[in-house]
Amino acid sequence: MKSIVFNLLFMMLITSYSIQAQKNNFYSKNFETNEQTTLTINLDDSHLILQPSTDGKVHVDYSFEFDGYSKKEIKEELTTIKADAVQFKNKITVTANKIRKEYKHYTYDGTGAMFIEGGLSGLFGADEDKKGAVIRKSKDSIIEELRFEKFKSLKFIGDKFKVKEADGTIRNLRDRGSLKIMRGKFIIKLPPYVKLTVKGKQSDLLIKGDVVNELNFDLELGSLKAQKILNDRNKIKVEFTSVKVEQIIGGDYIFNNVDGLIASIADITINSEFSEIELGEINSGVKITDFNSEYYFYNFSSNFKQFNLNSEYSKIHFFEPKADHSFKVFGNNTINYLGDIKVEMQPTQKDEKFNMMERKAKGKGVFSGHINFDIIHGIIYSYTDD
Amino acid sequence: MKQDIKNLFKDDNGNKKLPNSHREEFLAKLKGSKVGKKKILSYNFIYKTAAAILIFISAGYFAIIDKDKKLTVQTSLELQLDELERQYLVSIDSEWQNFLMIAEDTILINRYEHKLNSLANDYYKISKKFRSDTNNIILIEELVENLQTRLKILMDIQEHIELLNQKTENNEINSI
């Protein structure tokens, strides 16, 4: 009798385990395309991965990973998710919402109250202060920083979420208790000629590989991470978003409250405000218009030709280009810190702009380009390698 | 058979009289009537009322229990968030007043006012979303980031203005 009870309990244990950890392929569809095909993606609370397609089709795939959820709970979660992809002639529209982003650790106690590990103050620690140690970063070091971000991530391994440490080691979650984790994977593959429009709210967009598609992005409250975005006709507008890209060539960008780290830019116009943006290398054809942001211009390429900055109330960290160049600062009411030296450029009585500072090319070696700052109420921090 | 209608009324008023025992008869009827109604109330009505009260009490009890359960789930996280929100808003208001004291550029003030209003609207939208999905930690992060952003931009611009105001009276053109 005891053995029957034991076997029964054992079977129940196995059964309950199998229903609490599973991967669910929620949606899968693909579409034929041609040169006129456009793809519009509407995202809300989602996490999207874009990848190049090699078979000329647009592929839309959703899957979900559940750990700690009962079969009933999984069913309930899936019923809250709305996703659809339709094609009308050459227009494909994908709509997805409530595909919740990866949850942070949380546990339930006996009464069902929720607690966060470390509490709110621990979870939302202060941002790293860049001002303390501003050093020149190379383009390559930023690429390395982007590819190997030092953060812990959760990996779904063997029907369980496990922690992947910064050094790559995998460990089980400690004190699992009644921890429940759900993660959605939403992957769209598209051929390079398809025009892509993405409207995203509270969504994360990860672009893998080189994207040469014509893009029209309007992203709010989320993140944009990409390797290479290459198209002159791109229109990218991002607000309250983290932007991390290895290379951008071409396009018009609007950054509002953006935390940006971009290794290399060329042939691009940026209109920004209230942002903090690090640029690893500035190439030819770059124009920036800014209000009240903080920029880091780490390097200029050996042939950037001309760089124009128009700004008000901006902080500029300007690292002297290594190759020969000219440098002109026009405007008024600006301070330039050059090491311990402070150069003050007062406004005129009528607040007229004037030629505040000029450095002509030395005429030695290869001339790389002209740097023009038109700046009002600005603060420039200049750095040299001397 | 034709008659004057006025005469009909005259006749009625003159001939009809109440019997002497009409009070006693009325009271007897009234008494009999009350006894019958009392019997109906004591059985059907009382049973129905009792049943209805019981149902109301039960429904109320379970509603309160259910509500209490929901409140318990909400309190831990939402109370923390409410307290955090209160603290941040006090600091934001204080920094806004400080900013107004040192800022002379009306265009800058208007731009900041617009920015802060825009952030407050965003906060309201995210907050509304969070109240219907209190398990979503990402939304809490966004709420806190919103508050932090408001505070940070106000503190940064004050620091910026103070640095600019530290300048001497020299107006110079620098050639290096």
Side-chain angles (χ1 to χ4, degrees):
Chain A
M1 186 65 187
K2 277 184 181 177
S3 65
I4 292 169
V5 172
F6 176 79
N7 287 339
L8 196 64
L9 286 171
F10 184 67
M11 285 300 291
M12 284 171 68
L13 185 69
I14 291 171
T15 313
S16 65
Y17 173 82
S18 65
I19 62 168
Q20 286 180 6
Q22 57 174 271
K23 186 173 179 178
N24 185 292
N25 294 317
F26 181 71
Y27 190 91
S28 185
K29 212 167 179 180
N30 59 67
F31 303 93
E32 299 289 344
T33 65
N34 58 42
E35 300 282 337
Q36 280 74 48
T37 301
T38 62
L39 172 63
T40 301
I41 304 170
N42 300 307
L43 298 172
D44 189 6
D45 249 349
S46 300
H47 182 111
L48 170 66
I49 299 171
L50 284 173
Q51 285 180 273
S53 167
T54 52
D55 62 0
K57 291 180 183 176
V58 167
H59 297 263
V60 182
D61 291 290
Y62 303 100
S63 64
F64 292 90
E65 295 154 333
F66 293 93
D67 184 355
Y69 282 75
S70 70
K71 200 172 179 178
K72 188 186 169 191
E73 286 170 332
I74 291 171
K75 196 178 174 185
E76 282 172 0
E77 288 287 350
L78 291 176
T79 55
T80 66
I81 297 160
K82 292 174 185 172
D84 195 18
V86 292
Q87 184 171 27
F88 179 70
K89 294 182 178 176
N90 289 324
K91 190 177 178 184
I92 302 167
T93 305
V94 178
T95 304
N97 54 26
K98 286 206 170 185
I99 298 174
R100 295 182 193 177
K101 290 183 277 190
E102 185 175 308
Y103 277 13
K104 293 284 168 66
H105 295 179
Y106 65 93
T107 53
Y108 287 100
D109 69 2
T111 62
M114 181 187 283
F115 297 96
I116 305 167
E117 281 186 358
L120 285 172
S121 58
L123 189 61
F124 309 110
D127 291 339
E128 189 184 344
D129 189 3
K130 291 174 184 169
K131 291 170 195 165
V134 179
I135 53 165
R136 189 196 291 265
K137 291 182 183 178
S138 69
K139 180 180 78 172
D140 291 341
S141 73
I142 291 176
I143 290 173
E144 194 177 347
E145 193 178 330
L146 292 172
R147 289 184 185 177
F148 304 102
E149 274 187 308
K150 291 177 181 176
F151 62 89
K152 289 177 183 177
S153 60
L154 289 177
K155 298 287 174 189
F156 199 67
I157 302 166
D159 281 348
K160 284 281 171 194
F161 277 102
K162 296 185 178 184
V163 176
K164 186 182 181 186
E165 298 284 6
D167 61 4
T169 56
I170 306 287
R171 67 169 173 81
N172 292 325
L173 289 167
R174 294 192 194 99
D175 305 323
R176 288 188 63 91
S178 53
L179 182 74
K180 293 198 280 189
I181 303 169
M182 175 183 115
R183 182 162 67 185
K185 279 191 178 180
F186 176 21
I187 300 172
I188 294 181
K189 294 177 184 173
L190 70 165
Y193 48 81
V194 171
K195 287 181 187 174
L196 175 64
T197 299
V198 179
K199 290 176 185 173
K201 281 186 180 178
Q202 291 164 319
S203 297
D204 299 320
L205 184 55
L206 172 63
I207 301 174
K208 289 187 173 179
D210 300 355
V211 173
V212 294
N213 302 67
E214 186 179 328
L215 307 175
N216 191 333
F217 285 0
D218 187 351
L219 306 175
E220 192 183 339
L221 290 164
S223 68
L224 169 64
K225 194 173 177 184
Q227 288 174 351
K228 293 182 181 180
I229 302 176
L230 317 166
N231 195 308
D232 287 341
R233 290 190 290 273
N234 285 347
K235 305 279 182 199
I236 310 288
K237 184 185 171 195
V238 285
E239 293 183 58
F240 298 97
T241 295
S242 158
V243 175
K244 295 184 175 180
V245 187
E246 290 183 18
Q247 187 180 30
I248 297 175
I249 298 178
D252 298 329
Y253 287 71
I254 296 173
F255 292 149
N256 181 355
N257 276 91
V258 161
D259 180 15
L261 179 62
I262 304 166
S264 170
I265 57 169
D267 300 321
I268 174 177
T269 62
I270 298 175
N271 276 283
S272 55
E273 62 175 36
F274 300 100
S275 298
E276 187 166 347
I277 296 166
E278 295 178 75
L279 300 173
E281 185 181 81
I282 295 169
N283 292 273
S284 61
V286 176
K287 289 179 186 174
I288 297 174
T289 304
D290 178 65
F291 174 77
N292 200 209
S293 295
E294 187 161 7
Y295 269 95
Y296 295 76
F297 302 144
Y298 290 122
N299 300 281
F300 290 79
S301 70
S302 58
N303 188 26
F304 69 90
K305 292 177 185 166
Q306 186 161 316
F307 169 68
N308 292 324
L309 168 74
N310 284 277
S311 73
E312 282 184 66
Y313 291 100
S314 304
K315 282 193 182 74
I316 307 297
H317 296 268
F318 172 65
F319 289 80
E320 194 85 12
K322 290 172 183 172
D324 196 16
H325 65 281
S326 72
F327 181 42
K328 191 175 177 181
V329 182
F330 186 74
N332 69 40
N333 194 25
T334 293
I335 296 175
N336 182 23
Y337 290 97
L338 184 62
D340 295 331
I341 302 167
K342 181 181 172 187
V343 181
E344 299 164 348
M345 295 163 279
Q346 281 280 5
T348 59
Q349 283 186 337
K350 292 180 181 177
D351 278 345
E352 291 166 333
K353 290 180 181 178
F354 63 100
N355 190 14
M356 295 189 292
M357 187 164 63
E358 186 167 3
R359 173 179 178 162
K360 292 179 179 170
K362 291 175 183 173
K364 292 178 182 176
V366 178
F367 179 71
S368 57
H370 302 280
I371 297 169
N372 300 313
F373 285 5
D374 184 335
I375 188 165
I376 304 171
H377 310 300
I379 297 169
I380 304 168
Y381 299 92
S382 296
Y383 308 91
T384 61
D385 290 336
D386 299 335
Chain B
M1 288 295 288
K2 285 182 182 177
Q3 295 181 64
D4 187 347
I5 196 165
K6 290 176 188 172
N7 295 331
L8 282 173
F9 284 105
K10 279 178 185 172
D11 289 342
D12 276 355
N13 285 339
N15 299 332
K16 280 195 175 178
K17 282 184 181 177
L18 287 170
N20 291 333
S21 61
H22 75 277
R23 279 181 191 277
E24 288 78 9
E25 284 173 11
F26 175 72
L27 287 173
K29 282 181 181 176
L30 189 65
K31 200 176 177 183
S33 168
K34 275 184 179 175
V35 169
K37 280 186 181 176
K38 199 175 180 182
K39 277 180 184 172
I40 294 164
L41 273 176
S42 64
Y43 295 109
N44 292 340
F45 182 75
I46 288 173
Y47 282 147
K48 283 177 184 174
T49 307
I53 289 167
L54 197 64
I55 288 165
F56 278 121
I57 289 170
S58 305
Y61 174 78
F62 286 114
I64 288 163
I65 294 295
D66 192 41
K67 196 179 174 185
D68 283 345
K69 276 182 187 174
K70 282 177 186 171
L71 282 175
T72 311
V73 172
Q74 288 172 349
T75 48
S76 172
L77 201 58
E78 287 189 318
L79 283 178
Q80 282 184 74
L81 189 64
D82 287 346
E83 176 58 19
L84 206 68
E85 178 187 310
R86 193 191 61 77
Q87 287 173 11
Y88 265 107
L89 290 178
V90 168
S91 302
I92 289 163
D93 186 55
S94 168
E95 293 301 333
W96 170 250
Q97 297 305 326
N98 294 341
F99 167 65
L100 290 178
M101 285 173 73
I102 62 165
E104 293 169 357
D105 184 347
T106 50
I107 296 170
L108 178 71
I109 293 170
N110 290 341
R111 203 146 180 182
Y112 260 78
E113 193 172 17
H114 180 262
K115 187 72 190 171
L116 291 168
N117 286 339
S118 168
L119 282 161
N121 285 337
D122 288 341
Y123 188 89
Y124 173 74
K125 286 177 194 168
I126 305 165
S127 183
K128 206 173 167 186
K129 207 169 177 179
F130 170 68
R131 300 297 168 189
S132 63
D133 184 11
T134 50
N135 284 354
N136 200 330
I137 308 300
I138 304 294
L139 291 178
I140 302 174
E141 269 193 341
E142 283 166 0
L143 288 169
V144 177
E145 275 173 21
N146 180 293
L147 294 167
Q148 283 178 338
T149 303
R150 283 190 256 176
L151 190 59
K152 186 177 182 297
I153 63 171
L154 281 169
M155 290 171 80
D156 284 353
I157 193 63
Q158 287 179 74
E159 185 192 335
H160 196 104
I161 292 168
E162 279 167 10
L163 280 171
L164 289 173
N165 289 345
Q166 283 172 8
K167 290 185 300 186
T168 57
E169 294 302 316
N170 297 327
N171 183 359
E172 51 188 303
I173 296 173
N174 303 280
S175 291
I176 304 168

